[in-house]
Amino acid sequence: MIKLKSKKNYFNIIKHIFLPKDRALLRSKYYFMFLNKKIYFDSEHLANRNLIQWCLNKNHFHKKSNCTTEIFYEQKEMLIFEKLIVDSNYFIDLGAQTGIYSLAAYSSKKIKKIICVDIINEYMTAIKKNIKINGFKVNKFQILNLGIGSNKIFHKEWIAQTETNGCSFEEILNIAGLRLSEHDCVKIDIEGWEFFLAKEIGKYFKTTKPNLLLSLHKKEIERLSNKNVSENNIFDFLSLHYQFKYITDDKTIFKEIKSLKDNNLNNQKNKTIFFSNKKF
């Protein structure tokens, strides 16, 4: 049994409860569109309100009425995700946070099970509330409060900080009782801890090769690995096993790349790369 030590950031929690702009969020309903379906957020939970506020601050929203607002989170990435998830039976969301990708995956007709994994316990509660407010079938989701990695993980977010021993990708599959195929989908957004992909934890992707949405955090990878791993190491490792690598593109949605030098990606602090053996 993997144990987590968690400490809430009460200063930020109280701030979100009492700040006027945060309280104002309760007066509207918020949703996003995926596969032509509306998916709502439970704005009473602080973690969901934090994501909503981020979208509002970035002007990624469209007010539909006095009490309804459509928000846009990683809109270009979501367009690619729509194409990847339609043939998937299973979706694993590593670094799920409030579960926006997991909620989106539910809209796919073929999806049988969604695994939401996050090290921060408060995000688990937020996901459950989002599942409930949308009336989704609970048995399609499995929510795991775990961190992925091969060593001790210390992770700090605005709402809490957590310390735990990391588990492998295979352990997560065993807990969920899943066998993935190359048609299934995995999203990894774990704030730099993805440097483990260049080590033991990446071995899984040599064989099964599911569609992979990978967020690379350049500075965090170098810091957490003590500069032993770079984002190029991860990209090159996965490139040996995936035929196609894509980024979002305004004109074609998918744009194929060969290395992180393409489109000057090396100079971007954070970026999302889509690895697949499917030609789009």
Side-chain angles (χ1 to χ4, degrees):
M1 186 72 179
I2 298 173
K3 294 183 179 180
L4 292 88
K5 295 180 182 177
S6 184
K7 183 180 180 182
K8 292 184 179 181
N9 188 327
Y10 286 103
F11 175 79
N12 279 339
I13 290 172
I14 292 170
K15 182 176 71 175
H16 277 72
I17 291 173
F18 291 107
L19 277 180
K21 69 176 183 179
D22 284 76
R23 292 187 64 81
L25 297 181
L26 297 172
R27 295 196 290 268
S28 185
K29 290 183 178 180
Y30 299 88
Y31 70 90
F32 69 98
M33 298 294 298
F34 190 82
L35 293 173
N36 296 317
K37 296 178 182 177
K38 286 184 179 180
I39 302 171
Y40 287 89
F41 276 95
D42 180 285
S43 60
E44 291 189 0
H45 194 279
L46 295 181
N48 290 328
R49 276 155 62 178
N50 188 62
L51 182 143
I52 292 167
Q53 190 62 62
W54 183 90
C55 291
L56 298 181
N57 291 343
K58 295 286 185 179
N59 204 32
H60 295 170
F61 72 96
H62 182 203
K63 198 165 184 63
K64 295 291 186 176
S65 70
N66 289 334
C67 59
T68 309
T69 302
E70 181 180 3
I71 61 173
F72 309 102
Y73 179 77
E74 297 189 354
Q75 193 174 16
K76 294 177 184 177
E77 288 81 358
M78 281 288 183
L79 288 173
I80 291 185
F81 188 48
E82 283 189 343
K83 294 183 179 294
L84 293 179
I85 199 66
V86 290
D87 292 323
S88 299
N89 288 317
Y90 305 109
F91 174 56
I92 299 183
D93 192 355
L94 300 175
Q97 294 197 342
T98 58
I100 187 166
Y101 278 88
S102 293
L103 298 167
Y106 186 91
S107 298
S108 178
K109 291 180 180 179
K110 284 190 176 182
I111 207 75
K112 294 178 180 177
K113 195 168 186 180
I114 299 160
I115 312 300
C116 313
V117 183
D118 204 283
I119 195 171
I120 301 294
N121 185 56
E122 282 71 16
Y123 288 142
M124 306 291 95
T125 306
I127 293 170
K128 290 174 184 176
K129 287 185 174 291
N130 289 332
I131 292 169
K132 184 177 180 180
I133 200 173
N134 284 286
F136 291 165
K137 293 179 181 177
V138 177
N139 61 2
K140 272 200 173 184
F141 294 86
Q142 187 167 1
I143 299 171
L144 303 176
N145 189 199
L146 298 169
I148 188 167
S150 56
N151 298 315
K152 188 172 286 293
I153 297 172
F154 178 79
H155 185 64
K156 187 176 182 180
E157 290 261 357
W158 66 275
I159 198 168
Q161 60 186 32
T162 302
E163 183 179 341
T164 186
N165 290 321
C167 63
S168 70
F169 190 75
E170 287 89 343
E171 285 178 290
I172 290 171
L173 291 177
N174 289 335
I175 291 169
L178 293 186
R179 274 191 169 184
L180 301 185
S181 76
E182 64 178 8
H183 299 295
D184 295 317
C185 221
V186 177
K187 188 213 85 182
I188 301 178
D189 186 357
I190 48 179
E191 306 299 325
W193 293 101
E194 64 268 16
F195 83 84
F196 283 119
L197 283 170
K199 297 188 174 183
E200 299 89 346
I201 214 161
K203 292 178 180 177
Y204 176 86
F205 296 93
K206 286 183 178 181
T207 53
T208 306
K209 305 169 189 173
N211 293 306
L212 175 62
L213 293 75
L214 177 63
S215 292
L216 292 172
H217 303 78
K218 184 175 184 177
K219 289 186 177 179
E220 287 81 358
I221 290 169
E222 292 177 355
R223 177 175 60 83
L224 293 170
S225 69
N226 293 318
K227 295 188 176 180
N228 291 320
V229 176
S230 72
E231 60 179 3
N232 283 293
N233 295 143
I234 299 170
F235 184 91
D236 292 344
F237 170 80
L238 291 170
S239 292
L240 293 173
H241 311 293
Y242 286 90
Q243 188 176 358
F244 303 108
K245 285 78 65 178
Y246 300 100
I247 58 172
T248 56
D249 181 69
D250 291 335
K251 295 180 180 178
T252 60
I253 303 179
F254 282 95
K255 182 169 185 178
E256 189 176 351
I257 60 170
K258 298 298 182 183
S259 76
L260 293 183
K261 292 180 180 178
D262 293 358
N263 285 63
N264 209 24
L265 291 171
N266 268 326
N267 292 327
Q268 294 182 20
K269 294 180 181 178
N270 304 325
K271 74 275 296 181
T272 299
I273 312 294
F274 301 83
F275 294 86
S276 181
N277 283 310
K278 185 177 179 181
K279 177 70 175 177
F280 290 95

